[in-house]
Amino acid sequence: MQVTERPAGAGGEIKVNSDRHNLSPALLYEHALRNGEGELAASGPLVVSTGQYTGRSPKDKFVVEEPSSRDNIWWGSVNQPLPEDKFEPIRERMFEYIQDKKLYSQDLYVGADPEYRLKVRIFTETAWAALFAHNLFIRPTAQERMDFQPDFVVLDVPSFHANPKEEGTRTETFIALNLGQRLVLVGGTEYAGEIKKSMFTVMNYVLPMRGVLSMHCSANIGESGDTALFFGLSGTGKTTLSADPSRILIGDDEHGWSDHGVFNFEGGCYAKVIKLSEKAEPDIWQASHRFGTLLENVVMAPDSRKLDLDNAQLTENTRSAYPIDFISNASLTGTGGHPQNIMMLTADAFGVMPPIARLTPEQAMYYFLSGYTAKLAGTERGITEPEPNFSACFGSPFLPLPPMTYARLLGDKIRKHGSDVWLVNTGWTGGPYGVGKRMSIAYTRAMVSAALDGSLAQVETQEDPVFGLHVPVSCPGVPSEVLWPRNTWADKDAYDRAAQNLAQRFKDNFTKFADQVSEEVRNAGPR
């Protein structure tokens, strides 16, 4: 039996194969193994390779230039326009291409708050990609699926390729978002993260229109009911720091902040697992060693099928995709109250920023718009070692609207709810990348814990002479010299030069926002 799905505004049809629709993880395992798509690890997870692409392809992502959204989009290198007359041939060829294929499909929610969630139907060429979608998004009940009518459709067909010369793409690989047709097409790449991030982009478009701040952050709740947010790009510690055994995990990557509080967009986690330590990150380690989890590009011993998480043979960007309830202390509702603490995480490749500093509301706006971090190896094609990067709102690759849209919402909510904001450097200390070393996760956890329990807010601070940040003079469990990065450098003159260099980079980057913010925010950055 087959039925068809017609995306809103689309002219073609996508077959829903009932024997591959909403399959359970066990059945998706069986299909994936029978199809030769992956291998079963000794500890239970399904292990797959994503082939040529082991990270996102941001230069191959397009937003269709169509009437309903054209005037709202932040056009440029992040949101590259694809004219409608170029998109239509891709869509028509893709729909024709899949007519004889039996695709897998999953009906899922994006958004834990029923008032703001979207229904999405995800079609995939492989069983393992369907398992990825099942794990990462929110799973409706059997009753909810009976009359499921999707708001958006995602069609993921890696074996289909665009024709760049005729269809306006850069390469044969493409991710095309048509907001008018409520349709996402993905072709030429097996990297499943494109499915996840395409729907994040959709939520980043829809929610701010309704006064909800969409955020690239993790979130958790303490024993007293206090909610905390952790902003940051991939590899900065959102997943690691939010997976705290003493706190309830709301989610590890994507959230909304409405008048009700915080809610998760997802129903799973997508953790980076290269060199994952059972001792340092026991929850993620356990979740990555069990049936139902999908591992991407993780190396196994050929005979024993034991995982080798230290092996970066395929990529540094090895990933584990698992349902959030694989974390023992995960929230059952995916929701929390208004955040009392907000952590802005950065992986400073220069090694000059303090490991933690308290921000004024104006500094919070400045550093949110700056979104400084380092692109870490493997998270994007061509990145083989960390590079300094400014990504507005700690997530510019996923922002369809101008950054000031999100920054204004954040500023309004911080002022309304009195949230404390902290800048946390999880990057390098004692020197830049290649000379210094990565900040101890134990020290970072100690500093974050002191901020979350309120004790760090009571500690005296001193102003950093270059960045103007308010640095605590002490923190339990952290050597005092670590709090001041200049003290960790053997060559103090080299530190001063590096700090001034980064300060200038901040100033140069912020020029594009200077005429959109108040004088207080403009002056909140480095000296």
Side-chain angles (χ1 to χ4, degrees):
M1 174 184 176
Q2 292 183 337
V3 296
T4 58
E5 173 62 33
R6 185 188 297 271
E13 295 179 336
I14 307 174
K15 296 177 182 177
V16 178
N17 299 285
S18 59
D19 59 342
R20 296 190 176 195
H21 186 51
N22 289 330
L23 296 186
S24 67
L27 286 172
L28 290 172
Y29 261 60
E30 289 183 9
H31 280 248
L33 294 172
R34 187 164 57 240
N35 298 342
E37 298 172 7
E39 298 176 316
L40 185 63
S43 53
L46 180 67
V47 182
V48 301
S49 166
T50 62
Q52 179 182 358
Y53 302 131
T54 58
R56 292 183 294 105
S57 300
K59 294 181 180 179
D60 295 311
K61 174 186 171 185
F62 299 90
V63 177
V64 178
E65 194 174 6
E66 52 82 30
S68 73
S69 61
R70 180 185 296 121
D71 294 339
N72 300 323
I73 299 297
W74 179 37
W75 297 111
S77 60
V78 170
N79 299 295
Q80 302 177 98
L82 184 67
E84 279 188 293
D85 61 358
K86 297 294 185 182
F87 173 78
E88 291 304 319
I90 296 176
R91 191 199 63 184
E92 293 303 319
R93 281 203 310 114
M94 198 171 188
F95 279 25
E96 182 179 354
Y97 180 81
I98 64 174
Q99 287 306 303
D100 297 327
K101 289 184 175 293
K102 296 187 70 175
L103 300 178
Y104 295 89
S105 55
Q106 292 278 318
D107 289 340
L108 300 157
Y109 291 133
V110 187
D113 187 333
E115 184 174 345
Y116 298 109
R117 71 174 32 149
L118 290 178
K119 297 177 181 178
V120 58
R121 177 163 291 161
I122 299 175
F123 292 90
T124 63
E125 189 172 14
T126 60
W128 78 257
L131 177 62
F132 174 90
H134 175 278
N135 285 357
L136 263 294
F137 294 99
I138 297 172
R139 298 156 288 281
T141 64
Q143 181 67 33
E144 289 170 332
R145 279 177 166 159
M146 289 185 65
D147 58 352
F148 193 94
Q149 296 296 320
D151 300 308
F152 264 82
V153 170
V154 177
L155 178 57
D156 177 65
V157 187
S159 68
F160 178 84
H161 298 90
N163 184 333
K165 289 185 178 179
E166 296 181 6
E167 295 168 341
T169 60
R170 189 181 69 93
T171 67
E172 294 181 341
T173 298
F174 65 95
I175 303 95
L177 169 60
N178 190 318
L179 290 161
Q181 295 184 7
R182 291 178 277 168
L183 176 65
V184 178
L185 304 181
V186 181
T189 173
E190 295 181 66
Y191 185 65
E194 302 289 11
I195 299 172
K196 164 187 161 73
K197 291 304 185 185
S198 65
M199 284 311 301
F200 183 38
T201 302
V202 169
M203 293 294 272
N204 283 337
Y205 180 81
V206 172
L207 291 185
M209 305 282 194
R210 302 180 64 184
V212 177
L213 173 60
S214 52
M215 305 173 291
H216 190 210
C217 70
S218 58
N220 61 25
I221 308 173
E223 293 180 356
S224 62
D226 62 296
T227 298
L229 303 181
F230 301 80
F231 284 97
L233 291 181
S234 176
T236 56
K238 295 191 312 300
T239 299
T240 297
L241 292 173
S242 57
D244 184 336
S246 67
R247 298 174 66 85
I248 296 172
L249 178 67
I250 300 176
D252 81 327
D253 195 41
E254 303 168 3
H255 292 81
W257 186 355
S258 72
D259 289 340
H260 310 312
V262 171
F263 63 96
N264 193 3
F265 289 171
E266 301 181 300
C269 300
Y270 194 36
K272 193 171 183 180
V273 292
I274 191 69
K275 295 180 173 61
L276 183 69
S277 164
E278 182 178 11
K279 181 179 179 180
E281 302 175 76
D283 286 334
I284 300 173
W285 195 94
Q286 292 289 344
S288 301
H289 286 77
R290 60 177 289 182
F291 180 86
T293 290
L294 175 74
L295 299 181
E296 292 180 339
N297 303 310
V298 170
V299 175
M300 295 188 295
D303 297 328
S304 68
R305 290 293 192 266
K306 289 184 177 180
L307 302 176
D308 182 2
L309 298 180
D310 292 334
N311 194 321
Q313 174 184 331
L314 298 178
T315 179
E316 288 276 342
N317 192 35
T318 55
R319 293 280 179 166
S320 175
Y322 50 85
I324 195 169
D325 57 16
F326 281 16
I327 300 295
S328 59
N329 60 332
S331 168
L332 297 178
T333 65
T335 61
H338 299 291
Q340 292 180 235
N341 284 282
I342 298 173
M343 308 288 165
M344 295 185 180
L345 309 177
T346 178
D348 174 27
F350 290 110
V352 297
M353 299 197 76
I356 192 165
R358 192 174 183 183
L359 304 183
T360 65
E362 292 75 24
Q363 287 175 325
M365 291 283 288
Y366 184 96
Y367 283 96
F368 184 66
L369 280 168
S370 297
Y372 170 68
T373 189
K375 287 183 180 178
L376 301 183
T379 55
E380 292 184 12
R381 291 167 54 193
I383 304 298
T384 57
E385 62 181 42
E387 295 179 358
N389 178 52
F390 292 93
S391 183
C393 310
F394 294 97
S396 65
F398 322 117
L399 304 183
L401 302 173
M404 283 304 303
T405 303
Y406 310 93
R408 289 192 183 101
L409 280 169
L410 178 69
D412 291 344
K413 291 182 182 298
I414 287 174
R415 286 187 288 271
K416 182 176 180 179
H417 301 289
S419 308
D420 286 331
V421 186
W422 305 84
L423 187 67
V424 180
N425 175 21
T426 63
W428 282 260
T429 183
Y433 174 80
V435 176
K437 60 182 180 180
R438 195 76 190 258
M439 186 68 64
S440 162
I441 182 64
Y443 291 162
T444 299
R445 285 194 186 280
M447 289 180 280
V448 169
S449 295
L452 295 181
D453 68 22
S455 60
L456 200 60
Q458 309 305 316
V459 174
E460 177 191 351
T461 63
Q462 293 181 1
E463 197 171 279
D464 184 289
V466 176
F467 297 100
L469 299 167
H470 302 277
V471 181
V473 298
S474 64
C475 179
V478 182
S480 58
E481 63 271 15
V482 172
L483 297 172
W484 291 92
R486 191 174 190 271
N487 294 337
T488 68
W489 282 53
D491 187 339
K492 302 298 190 285
D493 290 339
Y495 169 85
D496 292 339
R497 291 192 297 272
Q500 289 294 341
N501 177 278
L502 182 57
Q504 188 60 50
R505 288 174 181 250
F506 268 97
K507 294 175 185 177
D508 293 344
N509 172 74
F510 205 78
T511 56
K512 57 179 172 283
F513 304 118
D515 62 350
Q516 303 174 57
V517 298
S518 67
E519 183 179 359
E520 290 78 13
V521 173
R522 280 197 302 274
N523 294 333
R527 306 294 167 79

